[in-house]
């Protein structure tokens, strides 16, 4: 739930960076402001792992199923998704423009004995340096950037030939306004008020079109839904609120 952009001609939204930087020290508190992300995380991890294993011919039962794959986690926050991916063997680079996020992520990774390359920088900067990755992740990031088209372009440019792009965000529907903003921020108080701006939500059609314009082939997509009776998130055909999608660059 962070954001990415370039340091100069930037897609960074400074207000968004400041908001998440202020919450950074609570990233690893499963009962704190990031509690919903901790509950949501297994669905994200499962989606990414399944796609990567299929794409790169890996055994999904292996504890090191992503071994040797170069992966960048854009808007990594405190490393909640980066760490389990590193445990699966991926060579993880985590990016975030909020300095406290990166400091928290580095400290937690060191204490966990994980070698993750956390950087207070942006995907645009790495692309300009010539870096490319087998797997590019932008999970709960798109709805926080200032220029969606430019951000998606940078994400796509970072994908190696044959590589995979996975993005997750919020759909711009009346249902998402009711659940993700009114419900999550004002009624249930899962997130601090103002965490999301409904006008910055992106529809699947808009995101898919932006990805396709950058030469990637669209792949699997899924909604993610919350069950209040089990207090669990799971993959769903309902993409009206949260959704994830994947694309690949041809070899």
């Amino acid at each position: 739930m962070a954001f990415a952009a370039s340091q100069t001609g930037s897609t960074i939204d400074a207000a968004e960076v400041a908001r998440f930087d202020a919450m950074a020290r609570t990233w690893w508190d499963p009962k704190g402001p990031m509690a919903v992300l901790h509950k949501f995380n297994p669905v994200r991890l499962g989606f990414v792992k399944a796609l990567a294993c299929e794409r790169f011919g890996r055994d999904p039962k292996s504890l090191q199923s992503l071994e040797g794959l170069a992966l960048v986690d854009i808007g990594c926050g405190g490393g909640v998704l980066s760490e389990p991916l590193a445990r699966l063997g991926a060579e993880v680079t985590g990016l975030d423009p909020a300095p406290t996020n990166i400091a928290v992520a580095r400290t937690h990774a060191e204490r966990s004995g994980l070698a993750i390359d956390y950087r207070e920088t942006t995907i645009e900067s790495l692309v300009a340096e010539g870096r490319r990755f087998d797997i590019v992740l932008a999970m709960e990031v798109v709805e926080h950037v200032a220029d969606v088209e430019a951000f998606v372009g940078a994400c796509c440019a970072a994908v190696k030939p044959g590589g995979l792009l996975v993005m997750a965000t919020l759909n711009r529907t009346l249902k998402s306004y009711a659940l993700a903003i009114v419900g999550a921020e004002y009624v249930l108080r899962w997130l601090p008020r103002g965490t999301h701006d409904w006008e910055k939500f992106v529809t699947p059609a808009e995101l898919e079109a932006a990805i396709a314009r950058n030469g990637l082939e669209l792949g699997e997509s899924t909604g993610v839904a919350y069950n209040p009776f089990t207090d669990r998130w799971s993959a769903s055909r309902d993409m009206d609120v949260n959704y994830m999608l994947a694309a690949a660059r041809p070899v």
Side-chain angles (χ1 to χ4, degrees):
M1 259 200 271
F3 12 73
S6 91
Q7 303 286 14
T8 51
S10 175
T11 62
I12 284 178
D13 185 320
E16 297 278 7
V17 174
R19 182 178 298 114
F20 280 89
D21 199 45
M23 296 190 293
R25 298 192 185 280
T26 65
W27 273 104
W28 287 96
D29 180 357
K31 296 183 180 179
M34 301 298 179
V36 66
L37 185 62
H38 284 269
K39 293 177 181 178
F40 192 81
N41 209 43
V43 184
R44 303 192 304 172
L45 179 62
F47 187 68
V48 172
K49 179 183 174 182
L51 289 168
C53 287
E54 181 179 1
R55 183 71 182 175
F56 299 103
R58 302 301 181 86
D59 179 4
K61 296 181 181 179
S62 169
L63 296 178
Q64 292 287 295
S65 56
L66 304 186
E67 185 175 8
L69 294 175
L71 181 152
V72 62
D73 183 9
I74 304 166
C76 63
V80 173
L81 183 58
S82 295
E83 288 201 8
L85 290 165
R87 289 191 180 94
L88 289 172
E91 298 171 0
V92 179
T93 300
L95 311 182
D96 203 289
T100 311
N101 283 352
I102 291 298
V104 168
R106 284 174 176 161
T107 299
H108 198 276
E110 288 170 4
R111 291 174 178 171
S112 301
L114 295 170
I116 299 175
D117 182 12
Y118 286 117
R119 302 188 183 194
E120 184 191 333
T121 188
T122 63
I123 191 60
E124 286 90 342
S125 295
L126 290 195
V127 168
E129 294 171 10
R131 293 288 304 277
R132 300 294 184 271
F133 300 86
D134 298 302
I135 304 171
V136 174
L137 304 183
M139 313 298 278
E140 288 74 49
V141 180
V142 178
E143 69 271 22
H144 297 290
V145 302
D147 186 333
V148 171
E149 189 73 30
F151 176 71
V152 171
C155 291
C156 292
V159 181
K160 288 181 179 179
L164 185 66
L165 170 68
V166 184
M167 307 187 87
T169 189
L170 287 154
N171 198 349
R172 193 176 62 256
T173 62
L174 291 177
K175 186 174 178 179
S176 71
Y177 183 84
L179 296 181
I181 294 183
V182 177
E185 296 183 16
Y186 289 84
V187 178
L188 298 173
R189 298 184 179 180
W190 282 348
L191 300 168
R193 293 181 180 182
T195 297
H196 291 113
D197 178 350
W198 182 79
E199 293 185 355
K200 295 175 74 173
F201 289 3
V202 182
T203 70
E206 291 168 345
L207 188 54
E208 288 171 348
I211 292 170
R213 282 193 288 272
N214 284 278
L216 271 65
E217 297 174 345
L218 297 168
E220 187 173 342
S221 62
T222 183
V224 184
Y226 176 70
N227 185 330
F229 299 105
T230 61
D231 190 28
R232 294 183 65 181
W233 293 83
S234 60
S236 167
R237 288 179 292 180
D238 183 358
M239 296 176 64
D240 288 347
V241 186
N242 296 84
Y243 68 93
M244 301 184 289
L245 57 80
R249 183 173 295 286
V251 178

